[in-house]
Amino acid sequence: MSFTGPLSIITLVPLLSGLILLVLPNVLPNDVSMRMKASVRNVAIGLSSAIFLLTTLIFIGTIGQIDWLSIGMGDYVLETEDPVWLIESIGVTWHLGTDALSFPMIWLTTLLIPISMLVQWDAEDGHSFHSLLLIMEGALIGVFVSLDLFVFYIFWELTLVPMFFLIMIWGGEDRKYASMKFFIYTFTASVLMLVGILVMYFNTVADPNYAGTLTGHHFNLVLMTEQSRVDGLITSEGLRHFVWLLLLIGFATKMPSVPVHTWLPDAHVQAPTAGSMLLAGVMLKMGAYGFLRIAVAMFPESTLTFVPLLVFLGMASLVYGAVVCLGQTNLKRMVAYSSVSHMGLIFLGIATMQPLGFAGALFMMFAHGIISPLLFAVAGSFKHHYHTLEIGSMRGIAHHSPFLAGHMMLGWMGSLGLPLLAGFVAEVAIMIAFWMTFGWWVLLPALTLIFTALYYLTSMQKMIFESDDPHTGKLPDTMHDEEPRDVTWHENAGMFVLGALTILFGILPFIFWDMMSAWSTEFIQTYLVHAMNMLEASP
Amino acid sequence: MILSSSEAAAMAPEMAIMVGILFAILVPNLGDAKARIPLTSFKFPILWGGTRFEITSDPRAPGIISTVSLAVACILSLYAIESSDGKAISGVMEITGFGRFMSMVFTAALAITAAASIYRIPSTKITVDDAKDADERTTLSLMDNRRQVDLHILLMMVALGMSLMALSTNLFFLIVCLELASMASYVLVGFHKESRIGGEAGAKYFIVGSIASATGIYGMSLLYLWAGSLDFASLSASWAAMDTLDPLAGIGVGLMLVAFGFKVSAAPFHLAAPDAYSGTNAPIAGMLATASKAMGFVAMMRVLVGFAAPNEAVTAWAPALGVLAIITMTWGNLAALSSENPKRMLAYSSVAHAGYMLAALAALGSGLADSNTQDLLQMAIVFHLSVLVLFKMGAFLVLTLLEIEGTGKSISDMNGLARRDPIVASSMFVFMLSLAGIPPLSGFLSKFLMINGLVTTTTDTGAVTATNAMSWLQSVDPYFLLALAIVLNSALSLFYYLRIGLLMFFEEPITDSPLPKAPLLKVAILVSMVLTVLFGLGPASEWLLSLVETAISTF
């Protein structure tokens, strides 16, 4: 199983077909290319739906007969067996695999791509737009399936390029600034992370199968994790902390956490709807994923040492995000800051060092990955139909756009953590774990959630219900007296799917929760307890 | 100098270049001249002079000759890399895999330059029809491809000097070859002598360059005083025998660094480079940024690593080079940020890249690297020099296209390039990303190798007992900071590389007319783009790396 395994297929097919679809219309003769441009979006959504189907088949066990509940930390399924060399002299292999940490994210990616295509079904220059989304899909999945740090880093940076173009070409007024800031900000953080990765690489022992012929080291993540569990990857404690901090800079910027979050509101506000959906839905999770997969798994002792820092970052993001949300008048900006706030919860969940907290963080990644795209889809169609994002500029959507109002309400409720919706499960799990570790300090994050409810409810009240005239509502000036209409069929369909899933995973969280929980328990038992004992043993 | 046949065969690439030079001199003079055998009316053609044939007076002829001969030299060098056996020639040269690899890089860069110059240097504007009388008509008909001949002969001389330089085992011979290449490139830089800016660029480059060379030659004479020989072998032996740094040797090497620092445009010797790049035409600027820089680095490696490698007592130049590296990369990137002329911007970006390579060189000289790591660092430098030919040159080729249509002086001329020609614009964007070091492009792999070399060299110097990050950072050797300096500078450089992308894809085009027709040039751009991607990851990069490894093993 080399380039033909199911994971290789779901990574490479969208990547390559997206590239081909992007290039072909530019080189073919004019009349052929005109016809092709018209059908690109059909091909793109067909392909991405097929990939979604394939991933779902893997999940329910039709492909590979995988028992997800038995997969703990350190086990990988669908793993590439023999090393497939990409650059033999420095030890880079095409090594894929997935587990309970990455699989929900892969499933989420394959789900969100067709939905975001659907939501922006009639985008301008759709042939480039939809093929860029396909490239994006391949790069995002690549991040989650690579078990080779070099390839992981390549996919990690590769996600920037399509997103840069999505923001730059289809973005709002200030897209130039936003796309530059997005690219440079996250690139700076990830090159620092690269130095950390290189130090880790230098400390790997020569492995007969995977070591580079020239350097004697390897990038194999599985072997590195194993080495760090058995012997510790890096001997010097100071260096370990230093590398951990470099990795933290890379991952925290991607998440993003206060104080390195400032790229996010700009990127989100300017990005096209589909871009925002992917950015919030999957790209932010790359940070949390990498943090768990690399920083926590390989340097559990450093993680334990820096728990106060994690709690501080998490709390700061949570509180700051919520407080800033209160003052926002721009709908998308508010949703963006609410993402910062929710990402803070993920850090808090990890900082608890409890299986429940880890599982809660994992489920938060997943739930936020369904709810926040819904929020951005709502904000996008709001902008599409009312030509503004100002929260106070219009009242009474419920009167003239009942579907939009309904989706908005569901999304808002899901995001503030209403029971029986997906977000609730994660929040409760994290809070309980936080209480188990830190006792009554749990009041701090718990009370912050009141702010969340406050800003969501205020904005909802202003936009959906308050109305000067019970029949038409108040319309913003930007409408220029057009008749208000409800969302288009494709926006409606996309939001409907996301809304349905929000409810589904709220009522039946165990679909993913059980495997996450099994994985987290294994993680704590094999990796962290050992590290805790080590820490207690040392003075 | 008479060469035996086996020696001549070993020097086939140089032979190909010399044949090219001869052809470039002869072919444009071929005409239908006939000579009459005295006392008879029988005439036979002597081909020399007279009215020239269509094909020999074609302004493209010299360009094609030089492109072909340089390309042949490039391919011959490629095939000679594996089979070179270190044959010594005339006591000053040695045919090594390393020398052959470098001559491949040089000739590849110059072949692309020559091909691009076919389009860039148009035949003289005055045509035969403008002539006032018969005399002038003859002169002009002779003239119309003379400029091309000059340019291409100079290009081939640059190639000849560079490839001989890579083979030399003697410091004196190295300097002579370096000067051959430099002299030719001074003329090339000032080739547009009609324009004020062209003359200024040539003069500036020549004056600064010759002062740098003079300094270097003075340093060489000091080294001769010190060691009594300029053979690398004996210099190396004398250097290794030193207990403390002999001031004569130290000053000698330091002065030579000035000369080579100018060639690689390292701060503070880079001041002429931006003017030279922006004053000359784009293909020549591309040559300065790739082949000429590679030549400087090879010379630097020959001196610093070849004989002045750090021994146990003396690690003289590494700290200076480290500081120079940080200044160079930061200065280059900061200056590039505010450049409004794309060639100036690329010149400063080239300065920044020199800084990255100097950092790797400094780590080589730190004396911390074991022999494996030293190979790794050298590989990183050589790999970077060779892939630079693809993406740096590629960027200059795109500028050549703009220059042919008369723009390209200001960065706003890139506006809307994506709408005028999406393929060229995408290629330019790939070149920019590769220069910035975005994976999976080859620019990333080379930068990655350099950072990896630096990390490998220095990580072990950190205290094992350090218990927090700060105390570890204090204990580690300061060369580790070079790695951080490189990554932070890469981030800084994104500002100006991405800006090009923004302009190309975002702004309204200044004109809707398509880019000039230059099929060969566009093919070269496309090929460079594809190779930039391929050499970043996968079998192609593996092949190039193994080639570099072979080359380095015979350094």
Side-chain angles (χ1 to χ4, degrees):
Chain A
M1 198 164 76
S2 55
F3 288 110
T4 49
L7 291 183
S8 304
I9 288 175
I10 61 172
T11 312
L12 293 178
V13 166
L15 199 61
L16 296 178
S17 53
L19 269 178
I20 292 169
L21 289 177
L22 193 63
V23 173
L24 265 191
N26 289 320
V27 289
L28 288 177
N30 238 344
D31 49 334
V32 188
S33 107
M34 285 308 279
R35 253 178 295 149
M36 207 188 132
K37 278 178 183 173
S39 56
V40 161
R41 61 178 184 180
N42 299 323
V43 178
I45 202 164
L47 254 175
S48 54
S49 308
I51 286 164
F52 172 63
L53 201 66
L54 185 67
T55 322
T56 312
L57 286 181
I58 296 176
F59 178 56
I60 59 179
T62 314
I63 295 177
Q65 267 84 45
I66 300 157
D67 175 20
W68 290 101
L69 293 184
S70 66
I71 295 167
M73 165 74 192
D75 301 327
Y76 300 93
V77 288
L78 300 173
E79 196 179 341
T80 327
E81 274 146 23
D82 300 320
V84 183
W85 293 108
L86 290 180
I87 307 177
E88 194 170 356
S89 44
I90 54 174
V92 180
T93 52
W94 181 254
H95 188 149
L96 308 183
T98 180
D99 62 1
L101 172 58
S102 58
F103 191 78
M105 290 295 111
I106 299 169
W107 189 79
L108 190 66
T109 314
T110 56
L111 168 75
L112 285 182
I113 296 282
I115 289 180
S116 55
M117 281 177 183
L118 201 58
V119 169
Q120 282 209 294
W121 186 238
D122 44 12
E124 224 177 295
D125 286 330
H127 58 98
S128 324
F129 189 80
H130 290 106
S131 31
L132 272 174
L133 284 179
L134 269 185
I135 298 178
M136 192 72 197
E137 173 170 23
L140 286 171
I141 295 176
V143 170
F144 294 118
V145 295
S146 312
L147 293 181
D148 180 286
L149 272 182
F150 191 93
V151 180
F152 167 83
Y153 185 79
I154 284 179
F155 280 121
W156 177 275
E157 296 288 39
L158 204 59
T159 55
L160 296 183
V161 180
M163 187 50 84
F164 175 72
F165 277 107
L166 285 176
I167 299 178
M168 187 174 78
I169 300 177
W170 289 274
E173 287 295 301
D174 223 1
R175 56 198 163 185
K176 214 166 151 183
Y177 171 75
S179 55
M180 284 283 267
K181 187 168 176 182
F182 160 72
F183 201 117
I184 292 168
Y185 215 114
T186 49
F187 179 79
T188 314
S190 39
V191 284
L192 286 172
M193 175 181 99
L194 179 67
V195 175
I197 290 179
L198 279 172
V199 176
M200 285 159 59
Y201 170 70
F202 168 69
N203 279 289
T204 55
V205 288
D207 179 87
N209 290 322
Y210 285 93
T213 49
L214 186 74
T215 52
H217 301 296
H218 60 79
F219 283 102
N220 189 320
L221 209 138
V222 183
L223 291 177
M224 268 192 209
T225 319
E226 190 57 23
Q227 189 193 339
S228 81
R229 187 176 66 86
V230 178
D231 303 322
L233 189 60
I234 295 172
T235 340
S236 159
E237 196 185 343
L239 178 58
R240 210 158 50 213
H241 292 339
F242 180 62
V243 170
W244 191 90
L245 285 174
L246 286 177
L247 294 174
L248 181 72
I249 292 174
F251 297 133
T253 308
K254 202 64 151 198
M255 282 222 343
S257 154
V258 172
V260 280
H261 65 285
T262 58
W263 62 272
L264 182 87
D266 287 308
H268 265 319
V269 174
Q270 302 304 330
T273 310
S276 288
M277 288 169 70
L278 290 179
L279 201 59
V282 192
M283 268 185 97
L284 304 189
K285 311 314 184 294
M286 282 163 50
Y289 166 79
F291 185 66
L292 280 169
R293 176 75 95 215
I294 301 173
V296 181
M298 304 214 192
F299 306 108
E301 288 136 76
S302 301
T303 315
L304 285 170
T305 313
F306 285 110
V307 157
L309 176 66
L310 282 183
V311 174
F312 175 74
L313 288 179
M315 276 311 295
S317 306
L318 185 63
V319 176
Y320 178 80
V323 170
V324 171
C325 272
L326 276 177
Q328 290 304 320
T329 57
N330 183 311
L331 190 57
K332 258 187 157 178
R333 203 168 263 276
M334 185 190 90
V335 178
Y337 274 110
S338 88
S339 286
V340 176
S341 184
H342 281 97
M343 292 297 111
L345 276 177
I346 293 184
F347 261 164
L348 290 184
I350 297 172
T352 59
M353 296 293 156
Q354 299 278 351
L356 189 61
F358 269 49
L362 292 194
F363 202 77
M364 181 53 116
M365 283 160 70
F366 180 74
H368 185 258
I370 291 191
I371 296 170
S372 68
L374 176 59
L375 303 181
F376 279 109
V378 167
S381 22
F382 185 80
K383 164 98 179 165
H384 188 184
H385 294 288
Y386 300 108
H387 311 291
T388 176
L389 282 169
E390 285 301 302
I391 289 176
S393 68
M394 60 129 2
R395 308 276 152 116
I397 310 180
H399 294 298
H400 36 74
S401 308
F403 274 112
L404 182 61
H407 291 308
M408 187 182 260
M409 229 167 114
L410 182 62
W412 267 216
M413 288 302 165
S415 190
L416 66 78
L418 197 73
L420 288 187
L421 296 179
F424 174 71
V425 184
E427 276 180 23
V428 163
I430 292 175
M431 290 306 156
I432 296 175
F434 202 83
W435 182 78
M436 284 156 70
T437 309
F438 300 104
W440 287 107
W441 287 107
V442 73
L443 284 177
L444 272 178
L447 290 178
T448 315
L449 293 181
I450 295 176
F451 284 103
T452 316
L454 196 61
Y455 63 76
Y456 274 131
L457 291 177
T458 328
S459 66
M460 207 161 76
Q461 187 198 12
K462 274 186 190 162
M463 294 166 79
I464 302 185
F465 300 116
E466 263 180 26
S467 159
D468 301 327
D469 174 348
H471 299 295
T472 59
K474 177 191 163 196
L475 294 175
D477 304 336
T478 41
M479 290 285 287
H480 301 299
D481 296 330
E482 283 171 51
E483 259 321 283
R485 52 198 171 120
D486 209 342
V487 284
T488 54
W489 67 269
H490 49 82
E491 284 167 342
N492 208 357
M495 289 190 278
F496 193 78
V497 175
L498 290 172
L501 288 175
T502 311
I503 299 173
L504 176 72
F505 287 107
I507 300 174
L508 307 170
F510 53 81
I511 298 176
F512 279 109
W513 172 269
D514 284 357
M515 61 194 265
M516 289 170 175
S517 165
W519 183 87
S520 309
T521 313
E522 177 77 14
F523 194 144
I524 302 285
Q525 278 169 2
T526 13
Y527 290 81
L528 285 171
V529 169
H530 176 67
M532 284 179 200
N533 294 339
M534 291 284 288
L535 268 193
E536 272 168 27
S538 69
Chain B
M1 185 171 68
I2 308 290
L3 293 172
S4 75
S5 62
S6 71
E7 285 170 339
M11 297 192 60
E14 284 76 19
M15 293 295 164
I17 299 172
M18 284 200 274
V19 169
I21 294 178
L22 281 179
F23 265 70
I25 294 171
L26 291 178
V27 169
N29 288 314
L30 296 184
D32 60 357
K34 291 191 170 86
R36 188 167 61 88
I37 294 174
L39 303 178
T40 67
S41 59
F42 185 69
K43 287 182 180 170
F44 64 95
I46 56 168
L47 299 176
W48 188 261
T51 309
R52 292 188 295 161
F53 305 122
E54 184 105 346
I55 189 167
T56 54
S57 61
D58 189 321
R60 280 168 305 187
I64 290 167
I65 292 171
S66 75
T67 309
V68 169
S69 80
L70 287 167
V72 167
C74 176
I75 292 165
L76 288 175
S77 314
L78 172 63
Y79 279 105
I81 295 174
E82 301 278 351
S83 58
S84 299
D85 50 359
K87 177 194 280 294
I89 294 175
S90 311
V92 289
M93 278 183 279
E94 220 174 57
I95 314 289
T96 58
F98 178 77
R100 277 294 160 246
F101 183 85
M102 285 324 294
S103 56
M104 178 188 83
V105 172
F106 297 142
T107 45
L110 282 155
I112 301 174
T113 311
S117 299
I118 297 177
Y119 298 102
R120 179 62 185 91
I121 309 284
S123 56
T124 164
K125 287 278 162 55
I126 313 157
T127 59
V128 180
D129 301 328
D130 298 333
K132 284 200 253 350
D133 51 37
D135 277 354
E136 200 176 307
R137 185 184 294 262
T138 329
T139 328
L140 284 180
S141 72
L142 278 175
M143 278 289 287
D144 70 353
N145 66 357
R146 286 301 190 267
R147 275 202 89 159
Q148 283 81 2
V149 176
D150 292 349
L151 182 105
H152 288 286
I153 289 179
L154 286 167
L155 278 179
M156 285 186 278
M157 277 167 64
V158 171
L160 191 63
M162 286 178 177
S163 8
L164 287 176
M165 192 273 315
L167 300 175
S168 63
T169 57
N170 182 299
L171 193 53
F172 185 77
F173 186 67
L174 185 140
I175 292 283
V176 170
C177 297
L178 199 79
E179 283 308 299
L180 172 61
S182 303
M183 288 297 171
S185 61
Y186 299 147
V187 186
L188 286 171
V189 169
F191 203 75
H192 285 274
K193 53 185 188 293
E194 308 86 352
S195 69
R196 260 177 44 216
I197 188 166
E200 183 196 329
K204 223 173 206 167
Y205 194 63
F206 171 63
I207 292 170
V208 180
S210 47
I211 290 174
S213 296
T215 319
I217 292 170
Y218 180 52
M220 179 182 77
S221 64
L222 291 182
L223 284 176
Y224 183 71
L225 273 180
W226 164 69
S229 160
L230 286 175
D231 245 21
F232 283 140
S234 55
L235 280 170
S236 170
S238 316
W239 187 275
M242 277 195 306
D243 292 331
T244 54
L245 183 66
D246 190 322
L248 214 52
I251 295 171
V253 169
L255 290 178
M256 299 216 67
L257 273 187
V258 174
F260 302 148
F262 168 77
K263 281 279 150 233
V264 304
S265 49
F269 315 113
H270 70 285
L271 292 166
D275 287 325
Y277 283 51
S278 56
T280 183
N281 61 41
I284 303 295
M287 181 210 79
L288 292 182
T290 56
S292 202
K293 179 184 293 282
M295 170 177 78
F297 267 104
V298 170
M300 225 175 212
M301 278 165 74
R302 278 269 181 247
V303 170
L304 295 185
V305 185
F307 77 82
N311 62 21
E312 277 173 16
V314 188
T315 50
W317 44 268
L321 217 56
V323 174
L324 217 60
I326 290 185
I327 294 175
T328 304
M329 59 179 102
T330 317
W331 191 333
N333 280 325
L334 288 179
L337 282 179
S338 56
S339 301
E340 283 302 321
N341 180 331
K343 275 191 290 185
R344 264 188 122 71
M345 186 208 90
L346 284 176
Y348 280 119
S349 113
S350 159
V351 172
H353 277 262
Y356 305 150
M357 287 184 275
L358 284 180
L361 213 54
L364 262 176
S366 65
L368 300 170
D370 57 23
S371 73
N372 260 339
T373 317
Q374 283 186 359
D375 281 358
L376 201 67
L377 282 164
Q378 290 184 19
M379 268 180 73
I381 295 173
V382 173
F383 186 83
H384 190 75
L385 289 174
S386 50
V387 289
L388 212 52
V389 173
L390 298 172
F391 48 83
K392 190 74 165 222
M393 190 57 114
F396 278 107
L397 290 183
V398 175
L399 290 185
T400 311
L401 270 179
L402 291 178
E403 278 185 358
I404 293 173
E405 65 165 12
T407 56
K409 292 275 186 300
S410 154
I411 212 152
S412 59
D413 292 337
M414 312 286 286
N415 286 2
L417 198 65
R419 252 177 261 171
R420 300 174 63 197
D421 194 331
I423 300 291
V424 169
S426 317
S427 308
M428 184 68 172
F429 193 63
V430 169
F431 297 145
M432 290 298 124
L433 290 186
S434 187
L435 282 169
I438 308 278
L441 306 170
S442 48
F444 167 69
L445 186 58
S446 63
K447 207 174 268 179
F448 172 87
L449 287 173
M450 277 186 270
I451 302 172
N452 184 35
L454 279 164
V455 167
T456 310
T457 310
T458 52
T459 308
D460 270 354
T461 60
V464 182
T465 52
T467 52
N468 63 53
M470 212 47 225
S471 65
W472 184 83
L473 259 186
Q474 280 162 357
S475 69
V476 74
D477 198 278
Y479 289 104
F480 182 78
L481 298 180
L482 286 174
L484 291 181
I486 292 183
V487 297
L488 290 178
N489 265 289
S490 304
L492 183 60
S493 69
L494 262 185
F495 279 95
Y496 56 89
Y497 292 131
L498 280 188
R499 188 165 158 227
I500 299 274
L502 279 181
L503 293 177
M504 287 191 307
F505 288 92
F506 181 74
E507 296 291 335
E508 288 297 314
I510 34 170
T511 153
D512 276 334
S513 60
L515 284 175
K517 277 204 181 70
L520 191 58
L521 201 54
K522 284 186 184 164
V523 168
I525 291 173
L526 203 62
V527 170
S528 305
M529 193 266 278
V530 170
L531 290 181
T532 303
V533 177
L534 286 184
F535 283 145
L537 189 68
S541 61
E542 182 62 49
W543 172 78
L544 188 61
L545 273 176
S546 67
L547 215 57
V548 175
E549 201 186 341
T550 319
I552 289 301
S553 65
T554 59
F555 175 74

